Amino acid sequence: MKDGVIMKEQAKETRERRCASNEQVQHLLKERKQLLSLMLQVSSEGSDAVSVKSVADLEEFNQVLVDYIAAGHFGLYDRIAEGKERRQSVSELAIQIYPRIEQSTQIALAFDEKYNPENNEDELNHFQEDLSMLGEELATRIELEDQLIQLLLAAKS
C-alpha cells in the first residue's frame, strides 16, 4: 500500500515537472515568434530613415530579443544546469549544444547594447549588416533549440 502511494506521488511530481517544461517551451516559442515578426519589421524599415516609429520598433525589438534570450536561459537551460532535468538524453543534448547557444546569446546581447536607443544614439551605419549577422546566429540557435524542444516533447509521450 505504501509503495503505491509513493509511486503515485512520484508520477504526480513527474507530470508537474513535464507540465512546467511544456509551459517553458510554449513561452519560449511565443517569444521567438514575436521576435521574428519584429525582426522582419525592423529589417524592412532600413537604416536610412530613423523615424520615431523605427526607433520605437527597434526598442521593442531589442526588448523582445532580450526576453527571448532570457526565456531560454532562465527557463530551459537553468533547470538543466541546476541538475533538475532527470531525462539523461535531454541533459546530454543540452550540455552538447549549450556552448553554441551561449555564443548566440553574447552576440544578441552585444547587438542590444549597440542598438538599444536607451544606451546609444550612434548612427545606424552598420545596422543592416549587424541585423543580418544576428539573424544568422538566431537561425542557428533556433535549430539547436528545436532539437532540444523536440527531445523534451518526445520524452513526454
Side-chain angles (χ1 to χ4, degrees):
M1 175 94 165
K2 191 175 186 181
D3 289 339
V5 170
I6 291 173
M7 289 177 61
K8 284 182 182 180
E9 288 177 12
Q10 288 174 338
K12 181 182 176 189
E13 286 177 22
T14 298
R15 281 192 306 276
E16 288 172 355
R17 279 193 316 273
R18 303 264 166 95
C19 183
S21 290
N22 189 42
E23 288 174 5
Q24 290 169 339
V25 165
Q26 295 309 314
H27 177 68
L28 179 76
L29 293 175
K30 179 183 170 200
E31 292 289 338
R32 179 194 292 175
K33 183 178 179 181
Q34 186 178 10
L35 176 67
L36 294 175
S37 174
L38 288 167
M39 179 175 246
L40 181 61
Q41 190 172 329
V42 297
S43 69
S44 67
E45 291 174 358
S47 59
D48 301 345
V50 181
S51 66
V52 173
K53 181 182 179 340
S54 63
V55 169
D57 289 346
L58 181 56
E59 190 171 6
E60 183 180 8
F61 172 75
N62 282 346
Q63 181 59 53
V64 172
L65 175 64
V66 171
D67 291 348
Y68 169 68
I69 297 298
H73 277 282
F74 300 115
L76 297 178
Y77 300 111
D78 207 28
R79 240 183 82 236
I80 294 166
E82 291 175 357
K84 294 180 181 176
E85 179 55 57
R86 294 184 180 183
R87 295 165 285 184
Q88 182 138 1
S89 59
V90 173
S91 293
E92 287 172 357
L93 179 61
I95 290 167
Q96 178 186 347
I97 66 174
Y98 186 77
R100 191 61 180 87
I101 296 287
E102 179 58 28
Q103 180 181 340
S104 69
T105 296
Q106 294 309 314
I107 289 169
L109 294 176
F111 181 92
D112 175 59
E113 184 70 27
K114 184 174 183 179
Y115 291 108
N116 191 320
E118 291 179 10
N119 298 339
N120 198 344
E121 294 186 21
D122 286 347
E123 293 180 33
L124 300 174
N125 292 336
H126 300 286
F127 177 75
Q128 289 298 333
E129 295 166 28
D130 291 344
L131 186 63
S132 179
M133 186 177 81
L134 176 64
E136 290 174 17
E137 284 297 318
L138 290 175
T140 299
R141 182 188 186 102
I142 287 168
E143 288 176 19
L144 296 172
E145 285 175 346
D146 283 350
Q147 290 176 26
L148 186 61
I149 288 168
Q150 186 176 28
L151 194 55
L152 278 166
L153 297 180
K156 284 177 58 173
S157 332

